[in-house]
Amino acid sequence: MFEGFDAIFLARLQFAFTVSFHIIFPAFSIGLASYLTVLNGLHLWTGKPVYLSLFDYWKKIFAVAFGMGVVSGITMSYQFGTNWSVFSDKTGPVLGPLMGYEVLTAFFLEAGFLGVMLFGRERVGEKLHFFATAMVGVGTLISATWILAVNSWMHTPAGYSINEVGQFVPEDWWAIVFNPSFPYRLVHMVLAAYLTTAFVVGGVGALHLLRRDIDTPGARTMFSMAMWMATLVAPIQIFAGDLHGLNTLEHQPAKIAAMEGHYDDHPDGAPLILFGLPDDDAETVRYSVEIPKLSSLILTHELDGPLRGLKSWAKDERPPAELIFWTFRVMVAIGFAMLGFGIWSLWARWRGRLYRAPWLHRAAVIMSPMGFVAVLCGWITTEVGRQPYVVYGMLKTAEAASPLAAPAVGTSLMAFIVIYTAVFGAGTYYILRLMNRPAIAIDEPVDSEGPVRAGGIMPGPSHGKDAADHA
Amino acid sequence: MPEFDLAFIWAGLIAFAVLAYVILDGFDLGVGILFPLFDKGVQRDQAMNSVAPVWDGNETWLVLGGGGLMAVFPLAYATVLPALYAPIIAMLLGLVFRGVAFEYRWRTHRARWIWDWAFFSGSLVAALAQGIALGALVQGIAIENREYVGGWWDWLTPFSMLTGAALAVGYALLGATWLNMKTTDAVRERARSFVWWAMLATLALIGIVSLWTPFIDPLYYERWFTFPTEIFSFLVPAAIVGCVWIMWQGMVRNRDAWPFLSALGIFILCYIGIGISFYPYIVPAALTIEEAAAPEASLEFLLVGAIVLVPMILGYTIYAYWVFRGKVDPESGYH
């Protein structure tokens, strides 16, 4: 049934599908692991039970998300070999050790201490338990560091030479790891993970604040912490994103041209196209709404700064503008919405109405999944913007694939789609159900066996294993 | 004897990572394979809780094996994986299924049977796929010009089916001896009954595979039936018999750790046997360790880290196992 398809197209589709699923979970678990570390630390420091009950609340959600991240990540690591064997052979000497370091420094750390963090609180005591949580959190950050070094090198390769069999051979590891786009990507991604998680946590807090009957200290703490994160980090993220854009202009100008929708060269100042429909065949943007000179001002910090258009590259050297023009705009719009949210919450906080602002809370619930949308859109923008290359300027995607027949790739793609949809659909459902449960209000540490008081009014369902079924 | 350079050190490290994976994930996959044979409810909860805190760390060795292979033997990685395409995809999907079951199972009452089933079938598929992949590798892989040139059904042979079954049964033995060691009461009793069956079946399958292997390739025949390596033809089976004796003693004398440790011993001995057959090839009869190795600079860079980090990893892995030492408390778990 896949005879009519191109094996490379199917392999790309498979990679895009599996990585899109995968990127969601690390984005969430990076942020959540840090949040759990903070909660655990605050509990250790202040002794306030609210932090411990929040820790227990988010720990279960983390465990489900982390499990999905692990299993989808193992799939990713083997896909390089199964579907992209030429890529593996050629870039293995450079990228393999970086991924090896990711496993050695991050995966084992996370996996080793995850068990202690989830199950071992009674066995190891509070301080070691905090240490275990912190190790899981540090592990997620180290993991992000290595994987973004790998990804950035594919965008801005440096520090290598090419040997007689066509492999990339390392010359300078410092230059490979700290390649020109690495710092920008790393900061942008980690901040994105923090913001994404903050809006999820804030959305859950807001949901429970909206249900006045369970207006609990836990919900307030969640919402307040999340809104501080939005207030402080959203502006930093926009600034970091701008710097990343400048870096991309320097190293991947074709990607910027596609993101901005510039087909023609603008030697004396390019307009900012707010909206429009790019058409790669006709090489024009239809129905465009433009602000003169603004694109140049943003990207070159000069009104008359010159910008190259896509037409200055051969057709088979251009990334597809139709897609990334839009994904880029969606990402930016969500970023500014987050900034606006931070300001709104700051104003509500200043007025003393942070916990009694139903419209803010409703908006926060709607906003809660937007971080994931932004992460996915940002990822599409940068990865599709690298096309037609897999290693920018050096190795084309089409030349990197395994010598596989289309039916093989097609069949495995179908299997991935069916199984991922079922497995991760169920996981998402369980996470949402966990989030739907109240953030328990307690005055003393949670007794995992007995009933807990909800809002000091009545005994609620037990915190134990059957609670999810009652919720 | 070729000079003892970085490529050989790395071959040893990768072999260690794969062995660590096989014995560690082996017992938790084995618990999954035996899962439906335990009663619903408390028995299954106890079986799963015996591996829940450690399975994730166990599976990480698989990522190190794969990721390490790409780093230090990229050519082997790039030729073996396409050759074993179907079993590897099946293994990954099996691992997806069983991996999520650890959390999902506790999040639902009505649909628990689905995740019990996912835990079992995912574990079984992953075990079979790994065994089949091993068998296909032993049979050899067609490589020309740095590319896999065989068909995508080449891995499917009677021999690879046999190795698939052998590994799945061997994992069941590891799982049964693990549960014998880690659990109490009804779960332990049932696990003990599985130990006997799994031991007999494992020995039978190891025997058939061992007798078949030397006739697959002249290289293997030479290894096992010419001096000096034929010494191992007596030593390895003798040591396996020793392990079986320890396992039997452990069972009848209620020393619950002995059967598990001797099952590990059997796995390690079989693994050494495979190593004797393969050396100095990494893909038998196609790629030697030297030919597949990455440039010196790559081997060196990662080795510096591995020397420091692998002992640390072993340290905190042992710590994590130590935290959860002893029999599983039937009431424990955070769920």
Side-chain angles (χ1 to χ4, degrees), chain A residues 77-78 83 93 101 412 423 433, chain B residues 62 77 85 104 107 298 301 305:
Chain A
S77 72
Y78 276 83
N83 289 357
Y101 267 109
S412 61
V423 165
R433 212 164 56 168
Chain B
L62 181 66
Y77 184 79
Y85 194 79
Y104 290 7
R107 300 282 152 244
S298 307
F301 176 65

Side-chain angles (χ1 to χ4, degrees), chain B residues 128 131 161-171 201-202 205-206 209 267:
Chain B
L128 289 171
M161 293 295 105
L162 178 70
T163 51
L167 195 68
V169 170
Y171 281 173
T202 304
L205 287 165
I206 288 176
V209 172
F267 264 82

Side-chain angles (χ1 to χ4, degrees), chain A residues 22-47:
Chain A
H22 177 65
I23 201 169
I24 295 286
F25 304 112
F28 191 35
S29 52
I30 290 168
L32 213 47
S34 291
Y35 184 55
L36 286 170
T37 307
V38 169
L39 289 171
N40 204 337
L42 282 172
H43 177 252
L44 202 60
W45 186 35
T46 65

Side-chain angles (χ1 to χ4, degrees), chain B residues 86-109:
Chain B
I88 284 181
I89 299 282
M91 172 191 82
L92 294 173
L93 293 173
L95 292 176
V96 165
F97 250 93
R98 74 177 298 265
V100 298
F102 279 99
E103 284 300 323
Y104 290 7
R105 194 175 172 276
W106 306 97
R107 300 282 152 244
T108 172
H109 200 77

Side-chain angles (χ1 to χ4, degrees), chain B residues 10-253:
Chain B
W10 266 113
L13 275 170
I14 298 282
F16 175 75
V18 173
L19 175 65
Y21 171 74
V22 168
I23 60 179
L24 291 175
D25 213 27
F27 76 73
D28 67 50
L29 286 167
V31 170
I33 291 168
L34 298 172
F35 206 59
L37 303 175
F38 291 97
D39 291 348
K40 287 187 184 118
V42 186
Q43 286 198 5
R44 290 187 183 180
D45 295 354
Q46 215 178 323
M48 191 177 247
N49 278 337
S50 75
V51 291
V54 292
W55 76 273
D56 192 12
N58 297 345
E59 216 162 275
T60 308
W61 291 95
L62 181 66
V63 188
L64 182 63
L69 198 64
M70 178 176 170
V72 290
F73 298 106
L75 186 54
Y77 184 79
T79 47
V80 170
L81 264 65
L84 304 176
Y85 194 79
I88 284 181
I89 299 282
M91 172 191 82
L92 294 173
L93 293 173
L95 292 176
V96 165
F97 250 93
R98 74 177 298 265
V100 298
F102 279 99
E103 284 300 323
Y104 290 7
R105 194 175 172 276
W106 306 97
R107 300 282 152 244
T108 172
H109 200 77
R110 249 179 314 158
R112 182 162 295 169
W113 64 274
I114 295 178
W115 302 115
D116 282 6
W117 182 83
F119 185 49
F120 159 70
S121 58
S123 301
L124 182 63
V125 166
L128 289 171
Q130 287 170 9
I132 289 169
L134 173 68
L137 190 63
V138 169
Q139 286 184 326
I141 283 169
I143 298 172
E144 272 169 32
N145 236 339
R146 304 179 79 81
E147 266 191 10
Y148 172 62
V149 290
W152 74 291
W153 287 104
D154 285 10
W155 54 272
L156 186 65
T157 63
F159 181 75
S160 68
M161 293 295 105
L162 178 70
T163 51
L167 195 68
V169 170
Y171 281 173
L173 175 66
L174 279 175
T177 52
W178 166 264
L179 288 172
N180 171 52
M181 179 172 77
K182 293 293 286 185
T183 60
T184 52
D185 308 322
V187 183
R188 176 170 169 275
E189 285 313 311
R190 195 160 290 185
R192 288 173 69 80
S193 67
F194 302 148
V195 170
W196 297 111
W197 290 109
M199 183 173 72
L200 283 175
T202 304
L203 288 176
L205 287 165
I206 288 176
I208 301 171
V209 172
S210 306
L211 291 176
W212 191 337
T213 305
F215 300 97
I216 286 177
D217 191 301
L219 176 78
Y220 303 149
Y221 187 88
E222 196 184 311
R223 276 293 146 73
W224 290 100
F225 296 111
T226 58
F227 190 80
T229 43
E230 70 176 339
I231 296 169
F232 290 102
S233 307
F234 302 100
L235 284 181
V236 172
I240 287 179
V241 170
C243 286
V244 172
W245 188 78
I246 295 170
M247 185 177 293
W248 183 63
Q249 287 296 310
M251 290 293 287
V252 295
R253 289 160 65 181

